Amino acid sequence: MDLLAYIPSPSSGVIYLGPVPLRGYAFCIIIGVFVAVWLGGRRWVARGGRVGTVADIAVWAVPFGLVGGRLYHVITDYELYFTDGRDWVDAFKIWQGGLGIWGAIALGALGAWIGCRRRGIPLPAYADAIAPGIAFAQAIGRWGNWFNQELYGRETTLPWALKIDGDADAGRVAGTYHPTFLYESLWCIGVALLVIWADRRFKLGHGRAFALYVASYTVGRFWIEYLRVDDAHHVLGLRLNNWTSVVVFLAAVAYLVISAKKSPGREEIVEPAAVEDGADASGGPAPATATETGDGAPAGSGGAEETGAVAAEAEPSKKP
């Protein structure tokens, strides 16, 4: 019996629960957001922040990111919506696919900045906490392309080739193609693990963990983008997203270098309100540090000698 020599595609990206459509693309995005907020929240608390802060700021960042991702896609692929024979209303049908990560990160960062500013939190510290979660979210979100049978690569007969069904209306030709959605998903998982490791090993701070995520992602996106065969604008022989990857990579590396020189180390306090909470709970001033150690535990939670020193400083001096 012959073994299956390709990855099958779902016959439909929609399952109907009665009259309610459940779309695979939307589910992937939603699950990715939950994973990013959950992991980001754990990392934020480990750095000395409050429980729930990441989720509260995500209320600003996620909608901005979705709008930004859709805008980037619609602007760079405007001919899909605003040329003869096209319906501009389709530009609002986000469930059909089409979110540009560059626009999502740009406007998502704006939303996060608004949320951080309202809480008196430095955006770079917040970005460092959520960076691996964003990479994991991208890894999950890419499976939405599998449900929609879109954004695949060149034809191939490799055992892990993706089988695509023919659809003239969608511009699909039946065949087996490189599963670029899978390549990018696996790459994003690797990026997330790299950022977590480097953050623990080198105590990255002041936005450098996020910059490492951006630089690492763009390296993979460059070669994966090169494999894709969907219509795209080209500049000097390269797809637009290839050039975007190059520019963003250079900017991320420059930030890493400049930031390391100007602000070495990691922030001692990421959320002033959390320090005040600690002081209120103990009845005295809280320790001045809330950095994360190599194993993810807050600094200052070590031996009795350190605890005693803090207690001695917190106790008011007694006059005879």
Side-chain angles (χ1 to χ4, degrees), residues 73 107 201 233 288 310:
H73 167 73
L107 271 194
R201 175 66 177 81
H233 296 286
V310 173

Side-chain angles (χ1 to χ4, degrees), residues 236-305:
L236 299 179
L238 288 178
R239 293 165 65 96
L240 176 62
N241 282 332
N242 282 120
W243 286 110
T244 304
S245 295
V246 171
V247 172
V248 174
F249 171 81
L250 293 175
V253 171
Y255 181 90
L256 276 167
V257 174
I258 296 171
S259 175
K261 291 182 178 180
K262 293 184 63 176
S263 304
R266 181 183 288 172
E267 300 91 338
E268 292 186 344
I269 297 175
V270 295
E271 189 169 4
V275 178
E276 295 172 5
D277 290 346
D280 293 340
S282 62
T289 59
T291 55
E292 185 182 354
T293 61
D295 59 1
S301 60
E305 183 178 356

Side-chain angles (χ1 to χ4, degrees), residues 176-291:
T176 54
Y177 300 84
H178 277 286
T180 49
F181 84 91
L182 179 60
Y183 298 162
E184 186 164 341
S185 181
L186 294 174
W187 183 269
C188 287
I189 292 173
V191 169
L193 296 177
L194 171 65
V195 173
I196 291 172
W197 171 81
D199 195 24
R200 291 178 174 178
R201 175 66 177 81
F202 301 107
K203 306 293 190 298
L204 300 177
H206 301 282
R208 288 189 288 278
F210 187 82
L212 176 61
Y213 145 70
V214 172
S216 303
Y217 170 73
T218 53
V219 171
R221 180 61 185 265
F222 184 89
W223 68 266
I224 293 169
E225 187 76 23
Y226 192 72
L227 287 175
R228 282 169 46 173
V229 294
D230 52 295
D231 291 335
H233 296 286
H234 286 71
V235 179
L236 299 179
L238 288 178
R239 293 165 65 96
L240 176 62
N241 282 332
N242 282 120
W243 286 110
T244 304
S245 295
V246 171
V247 172
V248 174
F249 171 81
L250 293 175
V253 171
Y255 181 90
L256 276 167
V257 174
I258 296 171
S259 175
K261 291 182 178 180
K262 293 184 63 176
S263 304
R266 181 183 288 172
E267 300 91 338
E268 292 186 344
I269 297 175
V270 295
E271 189 169 4
V275 178
E276 295 172 5
D277 290 346
D280 293 340
S282 62
T289 59
T291 55

Side-chain angles (χ1 to χ4, degrees), residues 17-49:
L17 186 62
V20 180
L22 305 177
R23 302 181 184 278
Y25 187 91
F27 265 117
C28 291
I29 299 298
I30 292 170
I31 293 171
V33 169
F34 273 106
V35 169
V37 172
W38 171 79
L39 180 58
R42 288 177 59 88
R43 286 170 53 81
W44 183 253
V45 171
R47 288 179 179 237

